[in-house]
């Protein structure tokens, strides 16, 4: 077996309308389904690049759902979304987040990526990043001796 690519991410959310607003109106995901027929479940599918049928699916589980665990635990840590190709584009993302009141939880220069860290309305951590131009991705030092400096935009 060989995995060809990451297909999609599915997130349980407390409030579909609130989460759809965040992913669609702030992060810029495009709805993957725009038909008039109601879905049999309370959910919404999105695409960013349109390379497949959907890349993100939000499924509403209600306000009484248990919160995500914080700290060291087994499971998803975060997912990364490439938002551009240079720091100017990352600065535009930062300005959009600030304008929409989205708290920035971290900003890191990893040497090969520059990253902003945020949480969605349900506490899922998201890395918004750009690749650093001219990085030698075959250099094993990126993995064996990783860089993690504060990012200055």
């Amino acid at each position: 077996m060989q995995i060809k690519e990451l297909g999609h991410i599915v997130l349980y959310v407390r409030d579909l309308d609130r989460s759809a607003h965040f992913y669609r109106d702030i992060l810029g995901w495009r709805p993957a389904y725009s038909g008039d027929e109601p879905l049999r479940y309370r959910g919404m599918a999105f695409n960013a690049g349109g390379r497949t049928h959907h890349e993100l699916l939000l499924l509403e589980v209600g306000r009484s759902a248990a919160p995500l665990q914080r700290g060291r635990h087994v499971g998803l840590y975060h997912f990364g979304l490439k938002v551009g190709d240079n720091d100017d584009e990352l600065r535009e993302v930062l300005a959009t987040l600030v304008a929409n009141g989205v708290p920035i939880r971290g900003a890191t220069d990893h040497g090969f990526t520059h990253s902003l860290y945020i949480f969605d309305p349900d506490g899922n951590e998201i890395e918004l990043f750009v690749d650093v131009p001219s990085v030698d991705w075959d250099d094993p030092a990126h993995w064996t001796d990783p860089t993690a400096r504060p990012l200055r935009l």
Side-chain angles (χ1 to χ4, degrees):
M1 176 173 69
Q2 180 183 0
I3 304 300
K4 305 292 183 188
E5 64 185 25
L6 178 63
H8 57 270
I9 298 167
V10 180
L11 299 174
Y12 288 133
V13 300
R14 286 189 176 91
D15 181 323
L16 182 61
D17 295 330
R18 178 182 69 172
S19 294
H21 165 71
F22 178 81
Y23 283 97
R24 179 190 57 230
D25 302 330
I26 297 173
L27 296 189
W29 288 79
R30 294 181 303 280
Y33 175 79
S34 60
D36 294 328
E37 295 296 317
L39 301 176
R40 292 185 298 147
Y41 54 88
R42 187 97 165 101
M44 184 172 265
F46 294 91
N47 272 320
R51 62 176 177 72
T52 187
H53 40 81
H54 73 285
E55 295 164 315
L56 174 67
L57 177 62
L58 306 177
L59 297 175
E60 186 176 72
V61 294
R63 293 194 179 271
S64 63
L68 291 171
Q69 275 187 312
R70 287 284 152 237
R72 294 178 60 86
H73 66 277
V74 174
L76 180 70
Y77 170 29
H78 70 258
F79 60 93
L81 302 172
K82 185 174 179 181
V83 295
D85 295 311
N86 58 57
D87 283 347
D88 287 338
E89 289 175 289
L90 193 57
R91 283 185 200 92
E92 290 175 18
V93 167
L94 177 59
T96 297
L97 296 171
V98 169
N100 284 280
V102 178
I104 309 303
R105 303 297 185 186
T108 305
D109 175 352
H110 293 287
F112 53 90
T113 62
H114 289 169
S115 305
L116 300 173
Y117 293 89
I118 62 172
F119 290 106
D120 78 359
D122 291 289
N124 294 295
E125 187 170 338
I126 304 169
E127 176 185 4
L128 304 171
F129 72 92
V130 296
D131 292 331
V132 174
S134 304
V135 166
D136 178 6
W137 288 97
D138 293 326
D139 182 352
H142 294 306
W143 307 106
T144 59
D145 188 23
T147 299
R149 297 183 293 260
L151 178 62
R152 306 276 184 243
L153 286 175

